[in-house]
Amino acid sequence: SNFTNKDYERLDKLERKKLNRKSIGRDKELNLTGDKLEPLLMVPRSTETQKKYHINEVVINAFFKLLKERSRKFSKAYINHYSFDSQVANLLIKGSRSEQEVLARYKPDHLRGVHKLFLPLCLSDHWVLFYVDINAKKFSCLDPYQSSGILSFNSKNVDKILQWFKSFLLPEFGYKDANEWPYVERTDIPQQKK
């Protein structure tokens, strides 16, 4: 039989007890404690502000760390890729480190044989993905909400990222023609439905 309203209330109460503030967002494998993953686990109530549940860089970086691990464990099933920490974008955009200092963080082994490079970046509280397809020799910035104009509004920041890849990172790892690779505007990005 279907659940009654009272049944749903009991389930909600039980879930709140199991997922209290002390246990939400803990992950020993990723070395996360406290409420860092809370945005993924909580659903904002209609009376609550949704801003509190925006996904931050800890969640994004944990996701990409899991992608790397999955690719490592199942190398034959997944495309060989490398995911950069979102901190790289922050360092380049803010200019708090030189392009050479950021480049010094990476060893040739990090990028040897990869087919795709991913760099998540947050522009005006909106996450997009800078993407390099090494096999096709092209760059893209993936934004499912292109109508938002985030990429055009932040074009200087995207250009900084693009130039770092073209002038510093890729040539350092043997891609001397990276300056000739095109930047392709993608319009075929799927959107998650609410």
Side-chain angles (χ1 to χ4, degrees), residues 53-71:
Y53 296 100
H54 281 188
I55 294 175
N56 62 28
E57 68 278 352
V58 174
V59 174
I60 295 294
N61 292 330
F63 172 77
F64 280 97
K65 186 174 180 180
L66 291 172
L67 270 182
K68 282 187 215 178
E69 186 60 25
R70 180 185 71 175
S71 180

Side-chain angles (χ1 to χ4, degrees), residues 36-102:
K36 298 197 187 277
L37 293 181
E38 184 178 354
L40 289 180
L41 302 170
M42 299 296 289
V43 177
R45 305 284 186 232
S46 59
T47 59
E48 294 176 324
T49 176
Q50 291 185 354
K51 178 81 172 171
K52 178 180 174 184
Y53 296 100
H54 281 188
I55 294 175
N56 62 28
E57 68 278 352
V58 174
V59 174
I60 295 294
N61 292 330
F63 172 77
F64 280 97
K65 186 174 180 180
L66 291 172
L67 270 182
K68 282 187 215 178
E69 186 60 25
R70 180 185 71 175
S71 180
R72 188 187 65 74
K73 283 184 179 177
F74 306 103
S75 59
K76 293 189 183 347
Y78 295 101
I79 294 170
N80 190 3
H81 74 281
Y82 185 82
S83 302
F84 292 89
D85 188 284
S86 66
Q87 185 63 24
V88 170
N90 293 338
L91 293 173
L92 292 170
I93 289 170
K94 291 177 182 172
S96 57
R97 297 278 188 274
S98 74
E99 289 90 348
Q100 286 293 346
E101 288 176 305
V102 177

Side-chain angles (χ1 to χ4, degrees), residues 159-172:
D159 284 345
K160 285 179 186 178
I161 302 296
L162 180 62
Q163 288 310 311
W164 181 72
F165 275 93
K166 283 184 170 189
S167 303
F168 291 92
L169 184 78
L170 291 172
E172 181 72 20

Side-chain angles (χ1 to χ4, degrees), residues 1-2 13 15 23 33 39 44 51-52 57 73 84-85 87 92 108 142 154 175 179 193:
S1 67
N2 292 335
K13 190 174 182 180
E15 285 302 309
S23 65
T33 58
K51 178 81 172 171
K52 178 180 174 184
E57 68 278 352
K73 283 184 179 177
F84 292 89
D85 188 284
Q87 185 63 24
L92 292 170
L142 310 179
N154 288 280
Y175 301 100
N179 236 351
K193 305 297 182 209

